[in-house]
PDB file of all heavy atoms in Angstrom:
ATOM      1  N   ARG A   8       0.845  -1.182   0.000  1.00 98.00           N
ATOM      2  CA  ARG A   8       0.000   0.000   0.000  1.00 98.00           C
ATOM      3  C   ARG A   8       0.882   1.233   0.000  1.00 98.00           C
ATOM      4  O   ARG A   8       1.679   1.427   0.924  1.00 98.00           O
ATOM      5  CB  ARG A   8      -0.915   0.033   1.225  1.00 98.00           C
ATOM      6  CG  ARG A   8      -1.956   1.151   1.177  1.00 98.00           C
ATOM      7  CD  ARG A   8      -2.669   1.275   2.490  1.00 98.00           C
ATOM      8  NE  ARG A   8      -3.870   2.096   2.412  1.00 98.00           N
ATOM      9  CZ  ARG A   8      -4.316   2.855   3.402  1.00 98.00           C
ATOM     10  NH1 ARG A   8      -3.660   2.902   4.549  1.00 98.00           N
ATOM     11  NH2 ARG A   8      -5.425   3.559   3.255  1.00 98.00           N
ATOM     12  N   LEU A   9       0.737   2.043  -1.031  1.00 98.00           N
ATOM     13  CA  LEU A   9       1.490   3.282  -1.131  1.00 98.00           C
ATOM     14  C   LEU A   9       0.650   4.447  -0.596  1.00 98.00           C
ATOM     15  O   LEU A   9      -0.566   4.459  -0.747  1.00 98.00           O
ATOM     16  CB  LEU A   9       1.868   3.573  -2.579  1.00 98.00           C
ATOM     17  CG  LEU A   9       2.636   2.481  -3.331  1.00 98.00           C
ATOM     18  CD1 LEU A   9       2.988   2.967  -4.734  1.00 98.00           C
ATOM     19  CD2 LEU A   9       3.878   2.065  -2.590  1.00 98.00           C
ATOM     20  N   SER A  10       1.348   5.396   0.017  1.00 98.00           N
ATOM     21  CA  SER A  10       0.700   6.611   0.500  1.00 98.00           C
ATOM     22  C   SER A  10       1.461   7.821  -0.009  1.00 98.00           C
ATOM     23  O   SER A  10       2.679   7.769  -0.187  1.00 98.00           O
ATOM     24  CB  SER A  10       0.674   6.647   2.025  1.00 98.00           C
ATOM     25  OG  SER A  10      -0.046   5.565   2.553  1.00 98.00           O
ATOM     26  N   CYS A  11       0.740   8.900  -0.228  1.00 97.00           N
ATOM     27  CA  CYS A  11       1.358  10.158  -0.644  1.00 97.00           C
ATOM     28  C   CYS A  11       0.623  11.288   0.055  1.00 97.00           C
ATOM     29  O   CYS A  11      -0.571  11.498  -0.196  1.00 97.00           O
ATOM     30  CB  CYS A  11       1.299  10.317  -2.151  1.00 97.00           C
ATOM     31  SG  CYS A  11       1.865  11.921  -2.756  1.00 97.00           S
ATOM     32  N   ALA A  12       1.338  11.986   0.917  1.00 96.00           N
ATOM     33  CA  ALA A  12       0.753  13.094   1.677  1.00 96.00           C
ATOM     34  C   ALA A  12       1.268  14.424   1.149  1.00 96.00           C
ATOM     35  O   ALA A  12       2.476  14.612   1.027  1.00 96.00           O
ATOM     36  CB  ALA A  12       1.075  12.946   3.149  1.00 96.00           C
ATOM     37  N   ALA A  13       0.348  15.311   0.860  1.00 95.00           N
ATOM     38  CA  ALA A  13       0.708  16.652   0.377  1.00 95.00           C
ATOM     39  C   ALA A  13       0.637  17.644   1.521  1.00 95.00           C
ATOM     40  O   ALA A  13      -0.270  17.585   2.363  1.00 95.00           O
ATOM     41  CB  ALA A  13      -0.225  17.070  -0.746  1.00 95.00           C
ATOM     42  N   SER A  14       1.593  18.567   1.530  1.00 93.00           N
ATOM     43  CA  SER A  14       1.605  19.618   2.563  1.00 93.00           C
ATOM     44  C   SER A  14       2.138  20.905   1.953  1.00 93.00           C
ATOM     45  O   SER A  14       2.709  20.909   0.870  1.00 93.00           O
ATOM     46  CB  SER A  14       2.466  19.195   3.751  1.00 93.00           C
ATOM     47  OG  SER A  14       3.807  19.011   3.354  1.00 93.00           O
ATOM     48  N   GLY A  15       1.923  22.003   2.688  1.00 91.00           N
ATOM     49  CA  GLY A  15       2.400  23.292   2.200  1.00 91.00           C
ATOM     50  C   GLY A  15       1.245  24.199   1.829  1.00 91.00           C
ATOM     51  O   GLY A  15       0.175  24.145   2.426  1.00 91.00           O
ATOM     52  N   SER A  16       1.475  25.014   0.815  1.00 82.00           N
ATOM     53  CA  SER A  16       0.474  25.990   0.376  1.00 82.00           C
ATOM     54  C   SER A  16      -0.567  25.315  -0.513  1.00 82.00           C
ATOM     55  O   SER A  16      -0.486  25.351  -1.740  1.00 82.00           O
ATOM     56  CB  SER A  16       1.158  27.121  -0.392  1.00 82.00           C
ATOM     57  OG  SER A  16       2.118  27.772   0.414  1.00 82.00           O
ATOM     58  N   ILE A  17      -1.529  24.691   0.129  1.00 85.00           N
ATOM     59  CA  ILE A  17      -2.537  23.918  -0.591  1.00 85.00           C
ATOM     60  C   ILE A  17      -3.900  24.542  -0.379  1.00 85.00           C
ATOM     61  O   ILE A  17      -4.355  24.663   0.748  1.00 85.00           O
ATOM     62  CB  ILE A  17      -2.569  22.463  -0.104  1.00 85.00           C
ATOM     63  CG1 ILE A  17      -1.220  21.793  -0.346  1.00 85.00           C
ATOM     64  CG2 ILE A  17      -3.681  21.698  -0.817  1.00 85.00           C
ATOM     65  CD1 ILE A  17      -1.103  20.431   0.273  1.00 85.00           C
ATOM     66  N   SER A  18      -4.521  24.920  -1.479  1.00 78.00           N
ATOM     67  CA  SER A  18      -5.863  25.467  -1.390  1.00 78.00           C
ATOM     68  C   SER A  18      -6.915  24.423  -1.758  1.00 78.00           C
ATOM     69  O   SER A  18      -7.917  24.262  -1.070  1.00 78.00           O
ATOM     70  CB  SER A  18      -5.991  26.676  -2.311  1.00 78.00           C
ATOM     71  OG  SER A  18      -5.635  26.324  -3.638  1.00 78.00           O
ATOM     72  N   PHE A  19      -6.637  23.720  -2.822  1.00 84.00           N
ATOM     73  CA  PHE A  19      -7.620  22.789  -3.348  1.00 84.00           C
ATOM     74  C   PHE A  19      -6.923  21.814  -4.269  1.00 84.00           C
ATOM     75  O   PHE A  19      -6.360  22.207  -5.286  1.00 84.00           O
ATOM     76  CB  PHE A  19      -8.680  23.587  -4.130  1.00 84.00           C
ATOM     77  CG  PHE A  19      -9.840  22.782  -4.638  1.00 84.00           C
ATOM     78  CD1 PHE A  19     -10.953  22.599  -3.848  1.00 84.00           C
ATOM     79  CD2 PHE A  19      -9.819  22.225  -5.901  1.00 84.00           C
ATOM     80  CE1 PHE A  19     -12.038  21.857  -4.310  1.00 84.00           C
ATOM     81  CE2 PHE A  19     -10.891  21.493  -6.372  1.00 84.00           C
ATOM     82  CZ  PHE A  19     -12.000  21.314  -5.574  1.00 84.00           C
ATOM     83  N   ILE A  20      -6.945  20.539  -3.925  1.00 90.00           N
ATOM     84  CA  ILE A  20      -6.314  19.529  -4.775  1.00 90.00           C
ATOM     85  C   ILE A  20      -7.371  18.921  -5.686  1.00 90.00           C
ATOM     86  O   ILE A  20      -8.308  18.277  -5.223  1.00 90.00           O
ATOM     87  CB  ILE A  20      -5.647  18.422  -3.953  1.00 90.00           C
ATOM     88  CG1 ILE A  20      -4.584  19.010  -3.029  1.00 90.00           C
ATOM     89  CG2 ILE A  20      -5.020  17.383  -4.885  1.00 90.00           C
ATOM     90  CD1 ILE A  20      -3.890  17.982  -2.151  1.00 90.00           C
ATOM     91  N   ASN A  21      -7.219  19.163  -6.968  1.00 90.00           N
ATOM     92  CA  ASN A  21      -8.182  18.628  -7.923  1.00 90.00           C
ATOM     93  C   ASN A  21      -7.958  17.137  -8.148  1.00 90.00           C
ATOM     94  O   ASN A  21      -8.742  16.299  -7.739  1.00 90.00           O
ATOM     95  CB  ASN A  21      -8.057  19.375  -9.256  1.00 90.00           C
ATOM     96  CG  ASN A  21      -8.335  20.844  -9.112  1.00 90.00           C
ATOM     97  OD1 ASN A  21      -9.277  21.257  -8.450  1.00 90.00           O
ATOM     98  ND2 ASN A  21      -7.492  21.662  -9.713  1.00 90.00           N
ATOM     99  N   TYR A  22      -6.854  16.845  -8.767  1.00 94.00           N
ATOM    100  CA  TYR A  22      -6.590  15.489  -9.214  1.00 94.00           C
ATOM    101  C   TYR A  22      -5.397  14.912  -8.462  1.00 94.00           C
ATOM    102  O   TYR A  22      -4.429  15.626  -8.168  1.00 94.00           O
ATOM    103  CB  TYR A  22      -6.287  15.518 -10.712  1.00 94.00           C
ATOM    104  CG  TYR A  22      -5.920  14.201 -11.330  1.00 94.00           C
ATOM    105  CD1 TYR A  22      -6.893  13.333 -11.789  1.00 94.00           C
ATOM    106  CD2 TYR A  22      -4.588  13.832 -11.464  1.00 94.00           C
ATOM    107  CE1 TYR A  22      -6.545  12.118 -12.363  1.00 94.00           C
ATOM    108  CE2 TYR A  22      -4.237  12.628 -12.047  1.00 94.00           C
ATOM    109  CZ  TYR A  22      -5.224  11.775 -12.492  1.00 94.00           C
ATOM    110  OH  TYR A  22      -4.893  10.579 -13.061  1.00 94.00           O
ATOM    111  N   MET A  23      -5.479  13.662  -8.111  1.00 96.00           N
ATOM    112  CA  MET A  23      -4.365  12.964  -7.477  1.00 96.00           C
ATOM    113  C   MET A  23      -4.155  11.661  -8.236  1.00 96.00           C
ATOM    114  O   MET A  23      -5.133  10.980  -8.581  1.00 96.00           O
ATOM    115  CB  MET A  23      -4.645  12.678  -5.997  1.00 96.00           C
ATOM    116  CG  MET A  23      -5.041  13.911  -5.202  1.00 96.00           C
ATOM    117  SD  MET A  23      -5.282  13.591  -3.439  1.00 96.00           S
ATOM    118  CE  MET A  23      -3.589  13.758  -2.836  1.00 96.00           C
ATOM    119  N   GLY A  24      -2.912  11.338  -8.473  1.00 97.00           N
ATOM    120  CA  GLY A  24      -2.659  10.135  -9.247  1.00 97.00           C
ATOM    121  C   GLY A  24      -1.334   9.487  -8.926  1.00 97.00           C
ATOM    122  O   GLY A  24      -0.479  10.060  -8.253  1.00 97.00           O
ATOM    123  N   TRP A  25      -1.200   8.266  -9.398  1.00 98.00           N
ATOM    124  CA  TRP A  25       0.036   7.496  -9.281  1.00 98.00           C
ATOM    125  C   TRP A  25       0.517   7.135 -10.680  1.00 98.00           C
ATOM    126  O   TRP A  25      -0.263   6.689 -11.523  1.00 98.00           O
ATOM    127  CB  TRP A  25      -0.193   6.226  -8.481  1.00 98.00           C
ATOM    128  CG  TRP A  25      -0.415   6.458  -7.028  1.00 98.00           C
ATOM    129  CD1 TRP A  25      -1.604   6.565  -6.377  1.00 98.00           C
ATOM    130  CD2 TRP A  25       0.597   6.633  -6.031  1.00 98.00           C
ATOM    131  NE1 TRP A  25      -1.412   6.793  -5.048  1.00 98.00           N
ATOM    132  CE2 TRP A  25      -0.057   6.831  -4.798  1.00 98.00           C
ATOM    133  CE3 TRP A  25       1.995   6.638  -6.051  1.00 98.00           C
ATOM    134  CZ2 TRP A  25       0.632   7.036  -3.605  1.00 98.00           C
ATOM    135  CZ3 TRP A  25       2.674   6.838  -4.873  1.00 98.00           C
ATOM    136  CH2 TRP A  25       1.997   7.030  -3.663  1.00 98.00           C
ATOM    137  N   TYR A  26       1.795   7.337 -10.892  1.00 98.00           N
ATOM    138  CA  TYR A  26       2.455   6.968 -12.132  1.00 98.00           C
ATOM    139  C   TYR A  26       3.604   6.023 -11.779  1.00 98.00           C
ATOM    140  O   TYR A  26       4.024   5.958 -10.625  1.00 98.00           O
ATOM    141  CB  TYR A  26       3.018   8.208 -12.834  1.00 98.00           C
ATOM    142  CG  TYR A  26       1.972   9.128 -13.401  1.00 98.00           C
ATOM    143  CD1 TYR A  26       1.139   9.864 -12.565  1.00 98.00           C
ATOM    144  CD2 TYR A  26       1.805   9.259 -14.779  1.00 98.00           C
ATOM    145  CE1 TYR A  26       0.173  10.705 -13.082  1.00 98.00           C
ATOM    146  CE2 TYR A  26       0.841  10.108 -15.306  1.00 98.00           C
ATOM    147  CZ  TYR A  26       0.034  10.822 -14.452  1.00 98.00           C
ATOM    148  OH  TYR A  26      -0.924  11.654 -14.974  1.00 98.00           O
ATOM    149  N   ARG A  27       4.101   5.326 -12.774  1.00 98.00           N
ATOM    150  CA  ARG A  27       5.263   4.481 -12.541  1.00 98.00           C
ATOM    151  C   ARG A  27       6.195   4.497 -13.731  1.00 98.00           C
ATOM    152  O   ARG A  27       5.759   4.719 -14.864  1.00 98.00           O
ATOM    153  CB  ARG A  27       4.847   3.051 -12.209  1.00 98.00           C
ATOM    154  CG  ARG A  27       4.190   2.282 -13.344  1.00 98.00           C
ATOM    155  CD  ARG A  27       3.716   0.917 -12.844  1.00 98.00           C
ATOM    156  NE  ARG A  27       3.090   0.119 -13.906  1.00 98.00           N
ATOM    157  CZ  ARG A  27       2.456  -1.037 -13.679  1.00 98.00           C
ATOM    158  NH1 ARG A  27       2.372  -1.530 -12.433  1.00 98.00           N
ATOM    159  NH2 ARG A  27       1.915  -1.692 -14.682  1.00 98.00           N
ATOM    160  N   GLN A  28       7.459   4.254 -13.416  1.00 98.00           N
ATOM    161  CA  GLN A  28       8.478   4.256 -14.456  1.00 98.00           C
ATOM    162  C   GLN A  28       9.456   3.119 -14.200  1.00 98.00           C
ATOM    163  O   GLN A  28      10.137   3.101 -13.172  1.00 98.00           O
ATOM    164  CB  GLN A  28       9.219   5.589 -14.488  1.00 98.00           C
ATOM    165  CG  GLN A  28      10.185   5.727 -15.645  1.00 98.00           C
ATOM    166  CD  GLN A  28      10.686   7.152 -15.796  1.00 98.00           C
ATOM    167  OE1 GLN A  28      10.642   7.959 -14.865  1.00 98.00           O
ATOM    168  NE2 GLN A  28      11.152   7.481 -16.991  1.00 98.00           N
ATOM    169  N   ALA A  29       9.483   2.193 -15.130  1.00 96.00           N
ATOM    170  CA  ALA A  29      10.434   1.089 -15.063  1.00 96.00           C
ATOM    171  C   ALA A  29      11.714   1.505 -15.787  1.00 96.00           C
ATOM    172  O   ALA A  29      11.683   2.403 -16.636  1.00 96.00           O
ATOM    173  CB  ALA A  29       9.831  -0.152 -15.702  1.00 96.00           C
ATOM    174  N   PRO A  30      12.830   0.861 -15.491  1.00 92.00           N
ATOM    175  CA  PRO A  30      14.099   1.214 -16.142  1.00 92.00           C
ATOM    176  C   PRO A  30      13.995   1.155 -17.665  1.00 92.00           C
ATOM    177  O   PRO A  30      13.510   0.172 -18.221  1.00 92.00           O
ATOM    178  CB  PRO A  30      15.070   0.158 -15.614  1.00 92.00           C
ATOM    179  CG  PRO A  30      14.511  -0.232 -14.296  1.00 92.00           C
ATOM    180  CD  PRO A  30      13.022  -0.183 -14.467  1.00 92.00           C
ATOM    181  N   GLY A  31      14.414   2.225 -18.312  1.00 95.00           N
ATOM    182  CA  GLY A  31      14.402   2.274 -19.763  1.00 95.00           C
ATOM    183  C   GLY A  31      13.057   2.523 -20.394  1.00 95.00           C
ATOM    184  O   GLY A  31      12.927   2.484 -21.624  1.00 95.00           O
ATOM    185  N   LYS A  32      12.056   2.786 -19.562  1.00 96.00           N
ATOM    186  CA  LYS A  32      10.707   3.006 -20.094  1.00 96.00           C
ATOM    187  C   LYS A  32      10.189   4.378 -19.691  1.00 96.00           C
ATOM    188  O   LYS A  32      10.741   5.029 -18.812  1.00 96.00           O
ATOM    189  CB  LYS A  32       9.759   1.910 -19.593  1.00 96.00           C
ATOM    190  CG  LYS A  32      10.117   0.521 -20.089  1.00 96.00           C
ATOM    191  CD  LYS A  32       9.044  -0.487 -19.726  1.00 96.00           C
ATOM    192  CE  LYS A  32       9.366  -1.866 -20.300  1.00 96.00           C
ATOM    193  NZ  LYS A  32       8.301  -2.853 -19.981  1.00 96.00           N
ATOM    194  N   GLN A  33       9.138   4.809 -20.340  1.00 97.00           N
ATOM    195  CA  GLN A  33       8.555   6.102 -20.012  1.00 97.00           C
ATOM    196  C   GLN A  33       7.698   5.997 -18.760  1.00 97.00           C
ATOM    197  O   GLN A  33       7.323   4.913 -18.340  1.00 97.00           O
ATOM    198  CB  GLN A  33       7.713   6.601 -21.188  1.00 97.00           C
ATOM    199  CG  GLN A  33       6.470   5.771 -21.468  1.00 97.00           C
ATOM    200  CD  GLN A  33       5.680   6.320 -22.648  1.00 97.00           C
ATOM    201  OE1 GLN A  33       6.190   7.072 -23.473  1.00 97.00           O
ATOM    202  NE2 GLN A  33       4.412   5.948 -22.729  1.00 97.00           N
ATOM    203  N   ARG A  34       7.422   7.157 -18.188  1.00 97.00           N
ATOM    204  CA  ARG A  34       6.563   7.208 -17.012  1.00 97.00           C
ATOM    205  C   ARG A  34       5.110   7.151 -17.467  1.00 97.00           C
ATOM    206  O   ARG A  34       4.664   7.968 -18.284  1.00 97.00           O
ATOM    207  CB  ARG A  34       6.829   8.495 -16.224  1.00 97.00           C
ATOM    208  CG  ARG A  34       6.142   8.551 -14.888  1.00 97.00           C
ATOM    209  CD  ARG A  34       6.545   9.802 -14.125  1.00 97.00           C
ATOM    210  NE  ARG A  34       7.981   9.850 -13.857  1.00 97.00           N
ATOM    211  CZ  ARG A  34       8.541  10.808 -13.115  1.00 97.00           C
ATOM    212  NH1 ARG A  34       7.808  11.758 -12.575  1.00 97.00           N
ATOM    213  NH2 ARG A  34       9.854  10.792 -12.929  1.00 97.00           N
ATOM    214  N   ASP A  35       4.369   6.202 -16.926  1.00 97.00           N
ATOM    215  CA  ASP A  35       2.986   5.983 -17.334  1.00 97.00           C
ATOM    216  C   ASP A  35       2.029   6.109 -16.163  1.00 97.00           C
ATOM    217  O   ASP A  35       2.376   5.808 -15.016  1.00 97.00           O
ATOM    218  CB  ASP A  35       2.815   4.585 -17.947  1.00 97.00           C
ATOM    219  CG  ASP A  35       3.532   4.432 -19.269  1.00 97.00           C
ATOM    220  OD1 ASP A  35       3.569   5.405 -20.046  1.00 97.00           O
ATOM    221  OD2 ASP A  35       4.057   3.333 -19.519  1.00 97.00           O
ATOM    222  N   LEU A  36       0.805   6.495 -16.481  1.00 98.00           N
ATOM    223  CA  LEU A  36      -0.238   6.567 -15.472  1.00 98.00           C
ATOM    224  C   LEU A  36      -0.617   5.168 -15.001  1.00 98.00           C
ATOM    225  O   LEU A  36      -0.819   4.258 -15.810  1.00 98.00           O
ATOM    226  CB  LEU A  36      -1.472   7.255 -16.043  1.00 98.00           C
ATOM    227  CG  LEU A  36      -2.707   7.272 -15.147  1.00 98.00           C
ATOM    228  CD1 LEU A  36      -2.481   8.182 -13.943  1.00 98.00           C
ATOM    229  CD2 LEU A  36      -3.934   7.723 -15.929  1.00 98.00           C
ATOM    230  N   VAL A  37      -0.724   5.012 -13.694  1.00 98.00           N
ATOM    231  CA  VAL A  37      -1.215   3.777 -13.104  1.00 98.00           C
ATOM    232  C   VAL A  37      -2.684   3.934 -12.719  1.00 98.00           C
ATOM    233  O   VAL A  37      -3.532   3.116 -13.086  1.00 98.00           O
ATOM    234  CB  VAL A  37      -0.399   3.389 -11.860  1.00 98.00           C
ATOM    235  CG1 VAL A  37      -0.984   2.145 -11.193  1.00 98.00           C
ATOM    236  CG2 VAL A  37       1.063   3.180 -12.221  1.00 98.00           C
ATOM    237  N   ALA A  38      -2.979   5.006 -11.976  1.00 98.00           N
ATOM    238  CA  ALA A  38      -4.343   5.259 -11.528  1.00 98.00           C
ATOM    239  C   ALA A  38      -4.460   6.722 -11.129  1.00 98.00           C
ATOM    240  O   ALA A  38      -3.490   7.332 -10.689  1.00 98.00           O
ATOM    241  CB  ALA A  38      -4.716   4.359 -10.358  1.00 98.00           C
ATOM    242  N   GLY A  39      -5.671   7.253 -11.277  1.00 98.00           N
ATOM    243  CA  GLY A  39      -5.920   8.622 -10.879  1.00 98.00           C
ATOM    244  C   GLY A  39      -7.302   8.744 -10.268  1.00 98.00           C
ATOM    245  O   GLY A  39      -8.173   7.884 -10.481  1.00 98.00           O
ATOM    246  N   ILE A  40      -7.495   9.810  -9.496  1.00 97.00           N
ATOM    247  CA  ILE A  40      -8.773   9.998  -8.827  1.00 97.00           C
ATOM    248  C   ILE A  40      -9.054  11.484  -8.680  1.00 97.00           C
ATOM    249  O   ILE A  40      -8.169  12.272  -8.336  1.00 97.00           O
ATOM    250  CB  ILE A  40      -8.785   9.278  -7.448  1.00 97.00           C
ATOM    251  CG1 ILE A  40     -10.172   9.329  -6.818  1.00 97.00           C
ATOM    252  CG2 ILE A  40      -7.719   9.828  -6.516  1.00 97.00           C
ATOM    253  CD1 ILE A  40     -10.322   8.387  -5.625  1.00 97.00           C
ATOM    254  N   THR A  41     -10.291  11.865  -8.968  1.00 95.00           N
ATOM    255  CA  THR A  41     -10.679  13.262  -8.814  1.00 95.00           C
ATOM    256  C   THR A  41     -11.101  13.540  -7.372  1.00 95.00           C
ATOM    257  O   THR A  41     -11.220  12.629  -6.552  1.00 95.00           O
ATOM    258  CB  THR A  41     -11.859  13.592  -9.739  1.00 95.00           C
ATOM    259  OG1 THR A  41     -13.025  12.873  -9.275  1.00 95.00           O
ATOM    260  CG2 THR A  41     -11.574  13.182 -11.175  1.00 95.00           C
ATOM    261  N   ARG A  42     -11.358  14.794  -7.100  1.00 93.00           N
ATOM    262  CA  ARG A  42     -11.714  15.181  -5.731  1.00 93.00           C
ATOM    263  C   ARG A  42     -13.014  14.513  -5.280  1.00 93.00           C
ATOM    264  O   ARG A  42     -13.174  14.211  -4.098  1.00 93.00           O
ATOM    265  CB  ARG A  42     -11.825  16.692  -5.623  1.00 93.00           C
ATOM    266  CG  ARG A  42     -12.061  17.175  -4.193  1.00 93.00           C
ATOM    267  CD  ARG A  42     -11.946  18.679  -4.078  1.00 93.00           C
ATOM    268  NE  ARG A  42     -12.123  19.114  -2.708  1.00 93.00           N
ATOM    269  CZ  ARG A  42     -11.161  19.140  -1.794  1.00 93.00           C
ATOM    270  NH1 ARG A  42      -9.940  18.759  -2.127  1.00 93.00           N
ATOM    271  NH2 ARG A  42     -11.407  19.537  -0.561  1.00 93.00           N
ATOM    272  N   ILE A  43     -13.903  14.254  -6.219  1.00 93.00           N
ATOM    273  CA  ILE A  43     -15.182  13.642  -5.828  1.00 93.00           C
ATOM    274  C   ILE A  43     -15.135  12.122  -5.960  1.00 93.00           C
ATOM    275  O   ILE A  43     -16.177  11.465  -5.828  1.00 93.00           O
ATOM    276  CB  ILE A  43     -16.347  14.215  -6.659  1.00 93.00           C
ATOM    277  CG1 ILE A  43     -16.144  13.945  -8.150  1.00 93.00           C
ATOM    278  CG2 ILE A  43     -16.520  15.696  -6.382  1.00 93.00           C
ATOM    279  CD1 ILE A  43     -17.356  14.303  -8.996  1.00 93.00           C
ATOM    280  N   GLY A  44     -13.972  11.581  -6.206  1.00 93.00           N
ATOM    281  CA  GLY A  44     -13.815  10.141  -6.138  1.00 93.00           C
ATOM    282  C   GLY A  44     -13.956   9.369  -7.431  1.00 93.00           C
ATOM    283  O   GLY A  44     -14.017   8.139  -7.405  1.00 93.00           O
ATOM    284  N   ILE A  45     -13.976  10.060  -8.540  1.00 97.00           N
ATOM    285  CA  ILE A  45     -14.028   9.350  -9.825  1.00 97.00           C
ATOM    286  C   ILE A  45     -12.620   8.893 -10.164  1.00 97.00           C
ATOM    287  O   ILE A  45     -11.695   9.693 -10.214  1.00 97.00           O
ATOM    288  CB  ILE A  45     -14.588  10.245 -10.934  1.00 97.00           C
ATOM    289  CG1 ILE A  45     -16.010  10.665 -10.603  1.00 97.00           C
ATOM    290  CG2 ILE A  45     -14.544   9.518 -12.276  1.00 97.00           C
ATOM    291  CD1 ILE A  45     -16.585  11.700 -11.520  1.00 97.00           C
ATOM    292  N   SER A  46     -12.461   7.600 -10.407  1.00 98.00           N
ATOM    293  CA  SER A  46     -11.131   7.042 -10.608  1.00 98.00           C
ATOM    294  C   SER A  46     -10.983   6.422 -11.998  1.00 98.00           C
ATOM    295  O   SER A  46     -11.972   6.075 -12.654  1.00 98.00           O
ATOM    296  CB  SER A  46     -10.830   5.989  -9.546  1.00 98.00           C
ATOM    297  OG  SER A  46     -11.788   4.951  -9.591  1.00 98.00           O
TER     298      SER A  46
END
């Protein structure tokens, strides 16, 4: 289970997502979720 916590000057986080990059490959989207929970 991965976690990512945002801090600092945050007013409103629209989209949150996870990407991954394997050696020698491009960074690709794994999953994303909007503020209202659409994934």
Side-chain angles (χ1 to χ4, degrees):
R8 188 189 193 213
L9 305 183
S10 299
C11 173
S14 62
S16 301
I17 299 172
S18 55
F19 185 89
I20 301 179
N21 299 316
Y22 177 86
M23 307 183 86
W25 289 96
Y26 290 69
R27 67 185 181 188
Q28 187 169 21
K32 296 188 177 182
Q33 67 180 19
R34 189 175 299 185
D35 292 324
L36 174 69
V37 176
I40 187 167
T41 68
R42 186 171 182 84
I43 60 171
I45 299 172
S46 59

